[in-house]
């Protein structure tokens, strides 16, 4: 499945937050998730549980991190 940063921004704007910081963080209950980003690439953090996927009784991940490529690149937007 190919999903680009722009697709998440377009289809799930309330679930997607993009950043170019050196650390991308997410929190769930008492857990902290940290993605080190020393090259300061654009990374979109997408909330999956109760945002992209709502009201399901099945287990699912809390977040998805998508590393975006520069515009004009014809390849998939995630590494």
């Amino acid at each position: 499945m190919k999903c680009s940063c722009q697709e998440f921004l377009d289809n799930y704007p309330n679930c997607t937050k993009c950043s170019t910081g050196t650390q991308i963080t997410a929190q769930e209950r008492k857990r902290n998730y940290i993605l080190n980003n020393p090259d300061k690439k654009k990374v979109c953090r997408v909330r999956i549980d109760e945002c992209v996927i709502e009201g399901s009784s099945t287990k699912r991940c809390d977040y998805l991190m998508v590393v975006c490529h520069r515009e004009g690149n014809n390849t998939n937007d995630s590494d």
Side-chain angles (χ1 to χ4, degrees):
M1 176 178 179
K2 292 184 179 182
C3 295
S4 70
C5 293
Q6 194 60 49
E7 286 178 83
F8 283 107
L9 286 167
D10 291 345
N11 296 312
Y12 304 100
N14 295 329
C15 304
T16 306
K17 180 180 177 185
C18 299
S19 174
T20 56
T22 57
Q23 287 190 335
I24 312 300
T25 61
Q27 297 176 334
E28 177 67 22
R29 297 188 189 126
K30 294 183 179 181
R31 295 183 182 179
N32 293 319
Y33 305 98
I34 300 170
L35 173 70
N36 290 318
N37 186 22
D39 295 331
K40 297 184 179 179
K41 293 182 179 180
K42 181 179 177 183
V43 176
C44 290
R45 180 186 73 196
V46 183
R47 174 98 176 139
I48 301 297
D49 189 16
E50 294 302 326
C51 200
V52 172
I53 302 173
E54 294 183 38
S56 178
S57 61
T58 61
K59 288 187 176 187
R60 56 204 168 261
C61 65
D62 294 321
Y63 293 95
L64 168 69
M65 303 284 192
V66 181
V67 179
C68 308
H69 291 280
R70 291 186 294 263
E71 289 185 27
N73 188 342
N74 293 327
T75 61
N76 184 21
D77 281 272
S78 61
D79 286 340

